[in-house]
Amino acid sequence: MASFVIEGGHKLCGDIHPQGAKNEVLQIICATLLTAEKVTVNNIPDILDVNNLIQLMRDMGVTVAKEGIDTYSFQAENVDLAYLESDEFLKKCSSLRGSVMLIGPMVARLGKAMISKPGGDKIGRRRLDTHFVGIQSLGADFRYNDERGVYEITADRLTGTYMLLDEASVTGTANIVMAAVLAKGTTTIYNAACEPYLQQLCKMLNRMGAKIKGIASNLLTIEGVEELHGTQHTVLPDMIEVGSFIGMAAMTRSEVTIKNVSYENLGIIPESFRRLGIKLEQRGDDIYVPAQENYQIESFIDGSIMTIADAPWPGLTPDLLSVLLVVATQAKGSVLIHQKMFESRLFFVDKLIDMGAQIILCDPHRAVVIGHNHGFKLRGGNMTSPDIRAGIALLIAAMSAEGISRIHNIEQIDRGYQNIEGRLNAIGARITRI
């Protein structure tokens, strides 16, 4: 098990480039199963979750070629159907949460899919009902095999229908969209997720020959087609990384420019950091964060305490709440962080409390942060990363802390952040991988 040793208290200075968006690329790679033709994808991040999915595609019989430093091509002309029923395939799926998005493409094009319960972050319940109910509504037959612990899904030909999703699940919507593009007739999905990841997926599918209307809204209309064709696609910069870098600059009182962020796709993220008092400027498609000695949390107009909560897009992504929480520990003022989606994602705050942060964990979903206003620094400590986003939040805390910190189980960070210590060390951080 690898660890980071972080020497805190060093300022950052310079330019940093965000990687390709992890949450988008997992959907895009799964979507390449929908055609026998070649699909080329640019700006793929070199991270654990993505590399594992690429290897899984190879094992399934997809021809995968690395065509550039961050460019891969996928051609699913001869998928090995026998391998899709093997214990090896099911075991690999169980360790990779993104594998659940293989169901829609496989059922739509190949007529069947088998999948074990997927793994991923330990951040509370992550229901699969939206995925299953949606694809079932299109006519797929779901059976749970108790003996093998796997879901077996079959369909001769999916048929379009109207559905109202019980939650605006990003991966659930993606799975249903990928199934519906090859279904017979028209599918209407209401309460669909509309994150930039989903918009990118729908735009790519349309370039492949799909007929999807309502992109960027929560009402998608999909007219099924007989087949899809090859295309090229470029993945957006990772908005979660952009937010993480803003937080690092603020906590370390550093001057940093985040390059090529696709600002128009960041939604409410910049404004959420401004609510904590952090100054940032849009410069073309870059974000400039000036060095700030102090930043003060805003209050609401009526004077009540600021609340920052996650919400379906265009609300604030839940993946950034851990970063916003740790940044608030050195602000002036107090804020209530309300994590609505996952009931275990705030449990990492006990590690911040050990470092000297003033945080009241009200319940599994809410924490009140009383900012230090840099009155005293966090103390370095020993900690373990429970999930990707808590891991990066702990790294930010350690970079601003006094003394040496150690973060164990950094494989969780590697799942979502490419060569993070190399990129941060290049602009002044002191992080060593052990």
Side-chain angles (χ1 to χ4, degrees):
M1 185 182 289
S3 303
F4 279 148
V5 177
I6 303 103
E7 187 180 309
H10 293 282
K11 291 197 175 188
L12 311 177
C13 184
D15 298 348
I16 193 161
H17 295 257
Q19 68 190 27
K22 166 187 177 279
N23 290 347
E24 177 189 336
V25 78
L26 294 175
Q27 299 175 19
I28 295 298
I29 291 173
C30 292
T32 64
L33 286 172
L34 286 165
T35 179
E37 296 181 18
K38 181 177 170 181
V39 178
T40 303
V41 185
N42 306 304
N43 201 27
I44 292 182
D46 181 11
I47 55 176
L48 206 55
D49 274 10
V50 171
N51 293 339
N52 286 343
L53 181 58
I54 289 173
Q55 185 55 48
L56 184 61
M57 297 290 279
R58 285 193 178 105
D59 296 339
M60 292 166 63
V62 177
T63 302
V64 180
K66 187 169 184 178
E67 302 196 348
I69 193 166
D70 59 5
T71 299
Y72 286 80
S73 66
F74 302 85
Q75 189 160 3
E77 189 175 10
N78 299 302
V79 179
D80 184 352
L81 294 176
Y83 179 74
L84 303 183
E85 298 184 11
S86 69
D87 289 337
E88 181 186 335
F89 171 74
L90 295 167
K91 184 179 179 182
K92 288 185 176 181
C93 288
S94 68
S95 64
L96 178 64
R97 177 134 197 111
S99 64
V100 71
M101 287 182 290
L102 294 169
I103 295 174
M106 284 163 54
V107 174
R109 181 165 163 244
L110 307 175
K112 68 176 187 177
M114 290 181 68
I115 198 151
S116 53
K117 191 173 181 180
D121 289 324
K122 302 294 181 273
I123 55 176
R125 291 170 293 170
R126 301 179 78 174
R127 301 189 298 116
L128 296 177
D129 302 51
T130 306
H131 301 249
F132 287 5
V133 171
I135 295 172
Q136 240 175 342
S137 300
L138 295 170
D141 181 33
F142 273 72
R143 290 188 302 277
Y144 183 70
N145 184 325
D146 272 321
E147 190 177 327
R148 297 186 71 188
V150 299
Y151 298 98
E152 300 171 352
I153 310 107
T154 55
D156 292 331
R157 175 81 193 269
L158 298 175
T159 305
T161 187
Y162 169 86
M163 62 184 81
L164 173 60
L165 303 187
D166 66 332
E167 63 170 350
S169 163
V170 177
T171 53
T173 303
N175 228 343
I176 297 164
V177 166
M178 289 188 281
V181 290
L182 293 180
K184 184 180 179 182
T186 301
T187 300
T188 304
I189 308 170
Y190 202 11
N191 195 29
C194 55
E195 272 77 354
Y197 316 130
L198 242 304
Q199 297 174 36
Q200 286 281 96
L201 173 67
C202 291
K203 289 172 184 176
M204 184 185 92
L205 292 172
N206 278 352
R207 290 197 303 275
M208 295 168 70
K211 296 179 179 178
I212 306 171
K213 295 178 180 177
I215 297 172
S217 78
N218 67 351
L219 179 60
L220 295 175
T221 304
I222 304 165
E223 187 182 330
V225 296
E226 289 295 324
E227 62 179 357
L228 296 181
H229 309 288
T231 191
Q232 284 217 15
H233 180 79
T234 299
V235 176
L236 287 174
D238 196 315
M239 68 170 82
I240 314 304
E241 234 194 21
V242 172
S244 301
F245 294 149
I246 295 171
M248 285 175 189
M251 281 286 279
T252 58
R253 304 183 185 184
S254 301
E255 180 183 0
V256 173
T257 300
I258 310 163
K259 305 292 287 183
N260 303 322
V261 299
S262 188
Y263 198 94
E264 65 180 13
N265 287 297
L266 293 179
I268 202 172
I269 290 171
E271 187 55 37
S272 298
F273 282 97
R274 289 190 182 104
R275 283 183 166 188
L276 295 183
I278 296 165
K279 294 173 184 167
L280 50 96
E281 299 172 25
Q282 181 184 359
R283 294 183 173 179
D285 204 28
D286 303 340
I287 289 179
Y288 170 71
V289 186
Q292 279 181 260
E293 286 303 306
N294 304 89
Y295 47 97
Q296 181 166 351
I297 299 169
E298 294 179 0
S299 298
F300 285 119
I301 291 170
D302 64 359
S304 58
I305 186 172
M306 174 61 63
T307 300
I308 294 180
D310 57 339
W313 192 267
L316 181 64
T317 170
D319 284 349
L320 270 177
L321 280 187
S322 301
V323 172
L324 287 158
L325 185 150
V326 77
V327 171
T329 64
Q330 290 296 348
K332 182 180 181 181
S334 301
V335 63
L336 172 66
I337 302 290
H338 191 173
Q339 166 63 268
K340 296 176 182 176
M341 195 170 293
F342 304 114
E343 68 266 29
S344 303
R345 222 176 203 172
L346 294 182
F347 289 164
F348 82 100
V349 302
D350 62 345
K351 301 170 179 64
L352 297 176
I353 293 168
D354 290 342
M355 295 175 78
Q358 292 190 298
I359 304 170
I360 302 165
L361 187 61
C362 308
D363 55 44
H365 292 277
R366 295 177 303 159
V368 175
V369 184
I370 298 104
H372 290 161
N373 190 26
H374 290 289
F376 62 89
K377 288 188 174 183
L378 299 179
R379 300 181 298 270
N382 263 309
M383 51 202 112
T384 299
S385 172
D387 66 76
I388 300 175
R389 308 310 174 187
I392 205 70
L394 292 174
L395 181 60
I396 295 170
M399 288 167 65
S400 74
E402 206 162 46
I404 303 292
S405 297
R406 286 173 174 80
I407 302 177
H408 307 292
N409 193 29
I410 59 169
E411 287 82 3
Q412 285 287 357
I413 300 174
D414 290 337
R415 286 179 50 217
Y417 293 85
Q418 174 179 319
N419 183 27
I420 189 67
E421 76 275 21
R423 290 188 290 154
L424 292 176
N425 287 343
I427 59 170
R430 299 279 180 89
I431 306 167
T432 305
R433 181 182 291 259
I434 304 294

